[in-house]
Amino acid sequence: MTIDQDKLKLKIQELLGKEIIQYVLKGTGYCNNAYYVETSGGGKYIVKEELGDKKSSEQNDLVIEGRLIQKLSRLNLSVPLPKIVFVYENPKMYGYEYIQGETMKNLWGSLPDKDRVSIFRSLGKFHAEIGKKFTKEMAQESGIGINMSTDLHPELVERYKRLIIDDSIPKEYRDFVKHAKGIFDGTLDRVFFQFTHNDAHHENVLVQDKKISGIIDFGDAEYGEIAGEFYRYIIDYPDYFQHVISAYEEESGNKLSYERLVSIALLNGFGDIMKDYQKGGENRKKAERSIELYRTLLR
């Protein structure tokens, strides 16, 4: 359902139980709008509203996501989650108290090394905690997806098949990604399944005072293989992802396959690396550095 902005604002005001004094569209994504709202008395909130004409879909609608966050917030996790103040079904939306901080992506360049390590260890502990505390049965009751596959996502498989026969990509690079696929296929017996955020990249992690102030956006959360949780850390922060893994292993007791994690990261990122390569110039140099880094990680 889509309603006009005046009616939406009035509905949000009713749900908050306070007069709105500021109401700003903060961002529009493929699935949802996000509004920044201030109310009389100094309340500050973010409201996520499902788009009526979505360009794509997350796994969980906003009602499921909002209620899921409420359940997770009762588990006494070591990092903060959004404090949900309402969940509404028609139109689908939820609101939460505004979280102070900036995205990890924006702050990363200004953080000292010791704080980067500390943040990544906090993330590793978080992933272990939700795996231990939020069971498969709880996931089923919450209405989120249960994905017991050990294979790559079908879209990724199709992309891989196209890339390895693309003559514009150097044969040595195609051979290398085939090598990574072989590693991935050879580690199917070294997997762990648990509840996963499934989208905990650097734009969904908020940081304030050099600590995590909130982890947001559980729209793609599922019960699935843990390897899918970590590949973005490897792609975005190849010099620090080891700290997520080590903290996760210490907290969970699970011994992960390092090779499987790195190979799935390369398989997910190879298409973008090759796009850079084909642009030439500095982009090509960046792509070549990325491939050499993965060679080192998979050595």
Side-chain angles (χ1 to χ4, degrees), residues 40-64:
S40 57
K44 298 180 181 179
Y45 307 92
I46 297 294
V47 176
K48 290 182 69 175
E49 174 221 8
E50 188 173 274
L51 289 172
D53 183 19
K54 296 186 289 186
K55 298 177 183 177
S56 65
S57 296
E58 293 182 309
Q59 293 202 62
N60 309 309
D61 68 33
L62 291 184
V63 173
I64 290 175

Side-chain angles (χ1 to χ4, degrees), residues 40-282:
S40 57
K44 298 180 181 179
Y45 307 92
I46 297 294
V47 176
K48 290 182 69 175
E49 174 221 8
E50 188 173 274
L51 289 172
D53 183 19
K54 296 186 289 186
K55 298 177 183 177
S56 65
S57 296
E58 293 182 309
Q59 293 202 62
N60 309 309
D61 68 33
L62 291 184
V63 173
I64 290 175
E65 181 183 352
R67 290 175 178 164
L68 172 63
I69 295 171
Q70 288 177 318
K71 292 179 181 179
L72 291 168
S73 297
R74 294 193 283 267
L75 298 180
N76 193 30
L77 302 174
S78 59
V79 299
L81 299 184
K83 185 175 180 180
I84 304 294
V85 292
F86 72 79
V87 179
Y88 193 69
E89 294 190 5
N90 196 11
K92 292 179 179 179
M93 59 181 175
Y94 70 84
Y96 61 90
E97 292 183 359
Y98 179 77
I99 301 171
Q100 296 291 337
E102 291 190 52
T103 64
M104 187 169 75
K105 179 180 179 180
N106 288 344
L107 282 180
W108 192 255
S110 65
L111 292 170
D113 181 75
K114 65 181 180 63
D115 295 318
R116 294 178 177 183
V117 171
S118 177
I119 288 170
F120 264 51
R121 288 193 59 80
S122 294
L123 285 169
K125 184 176 181 181
F126 161 74
H127 291 301
E129 287 176 333
I130 60 175
K132 290 193 296 185
K133 295 183 177 184
F134 203 80
T135 65
K136 183 178 181 181
E137 290 70 28
M138 293 168 71
Q140 290 172 321
E141 292 169 1
S142 299
I144 69 169
I146 307 297
N147 180 5
M148 301 304 290
S149 173
T150 57
D151 296 330
L152 297 173
H153 191 281
E155 290 181 7
L156 183 55
V157 172
E158 290 305 310
R159 189 189 318 157
Y160 167 79
K161 290 178 179 177
R162 290 194 302 270
L163 289 169
I164 61 172
I165 61 172
D166 186 342
D167 290 338
S168 69
I169 296 174
K171 184 177 182 300
E172 62 175 305
Y173 291 170
R174 287 183 281 144
D175 287 344
F176 181 53
V177 79
K178 289 179 187 177
H179 172 64
K181 180 66 162 55
I183 291 173
F184 176 81
D185 291 340
T187 54
L188 296 179
D189 60 337
R190 299 170 63 187
V191 301
F192 292 95
F193 292 94
Q194 66 163 70
F195 171 75
T196 66
H197 179 288
N198 202 32
D199 198 24
H201 58 75
H202 54 190
E203 292 180 284
N204 286 333
V205 178
L206 304 179
V207 175
Q208 185 183 38
D209 298 328
K210 302 175 182 179
K211 295 180 180 179
I212 295 174
S213 59
I215 295 179
I216 61 173
D217 196 353
F218 285 75
D220 285 322
E222 68 176 18
Y223 189 94
E225 187 191 346
I226 189 62
E229 189 83 288
F230 292 137
Y231 77 85
R232 275 295 299 268
Y233 296 132
I234 300 173
I235 290 173
D236 296 330
Y237 302 103
D239 295 328
Y240 289 89
F241 76 90
Q242 296 92 337
H243 300 292
V244 173
I245 295 172
S246 62
Y248 171 85
E249 291 181 331
E250 290 168 17
E251 182 71 20
S252 69
N254 297 332
K255 181 63 177 175
L256 301 178
S257 167
Y258 174 93
E259 296 82 3
R260 184 171 179 81
L261 299 181
V262 175
S263 64
I264 197 173
L266 175 58
L267 289 162
N268 273 274
F270 188 70
D272 288 334
I273 294 171
M274 289 302 99
K275 284 180 183 177
D276 279 339
Y277 181 86
Q278 290 167 341
K279 290 176 183 176
E282 288 301 317

